[in-house]
Amino acid sequence: MRKSYRIKKEAEFQQVFETRNSVANRQFVVYSMAKPDQKHFRVGISVGKKIGNAVHRNWVKRRIRQSLLELKPYLKQDVDFLVIARPRADGISMADAKSSMVHVLKLAKLLDSNYSEE
């Protein structure tokens, strides 16, 4: 995913976090904030130290990024959102990570209702 799609600054991350507009499932928590003048979505990813060592955290981040890349055409574009991994996100397969990501994004109403998993 290109860098223009990422929330990189701490202040922007906190701004989305402080909206308190969140949904969660067992693996992920998603915070979202509407940005009507924005041409495409931006995402911040957080994987805490409760997940495991650096190798495990990077593995989870790659799973999240790949899932979002595959879902990119179906995501709402005028929004900033954060994906925060929970400890149960460690050790799940790519298919399970994507399925869980689809579930939480549908709960957050960030995924197009026409999307169906193949």
Side-chain angles (χ1 to χ4, degrees):
M1 188 162 296
R2 290 191 335 232
K3 288 187 179 183
S4 66
Y5 282 87
R6 296 188 198 157
I7 296 175
K8 296 173 278 206
K9 296 180 182 174
E10 178 66 24
E12 294 170 342
F13 195 96
Q14 285 299 322
Q15 187 179 15
V16 176
F17 184 73
E18 289 171 2
T19 62
R20 302 276 188 229
N21 185 17
S22 68
V23 295
N25 64 10
R26 291 182 179 191
Q27 288 80 21
F28 304 108
V29 179
V30 171
Y31 287 84
S32 61
M33 181 176 78
K35 297 281 277 250
D37 300 331
Q38 198 163 269
K39 62 182 177 180
H40 60 75
F41 71 87
R42 294 186 317 154
V43 63
I45 299 172
S46 176
V47 180
K49 291 190 177 189
K50 288 185 179 180
I51 299 295
N53 62 25
V55 173
H56 287 243
R57 291 192 302 272
N58 288 335
W59 183 84
V60 171
K61 287 179 200 173
R62 279 195 299 274
R63 297 286 191 253
I64 293 170
R65 276 193 224 107
Q66 183 61 36
S67 297
L68 292 173
L69 189 61
E70 293 173 13
L71 297 169
K72 186 176 167 182
Y74 304 101
L75 287 168
K76 194 173 176 182
Q77 297 299 308
D78 60 346
V79 69
D80 281 356
F81 65 96
L82 307 175
V83 177
I84 300 173
R86 298 175 98 180
R88 294 193 68 158
D90 188 20
I92 60 175
S93 68
M94 182 60 210
D96 290 340
K98 184 177 178 187
S99 176
S100 182
M101 187 63 63
V102 166
H103 177 252
V104 76
L105 290 172
K106 281 184 178 179
L107 289 175
K109 296 181 174 79
L110 297 177
L111 197 60
D112 188 355
S113 59
N114 296 330
Y115 176 79
S116 63
E117 293 184 66
E118 290 83 32

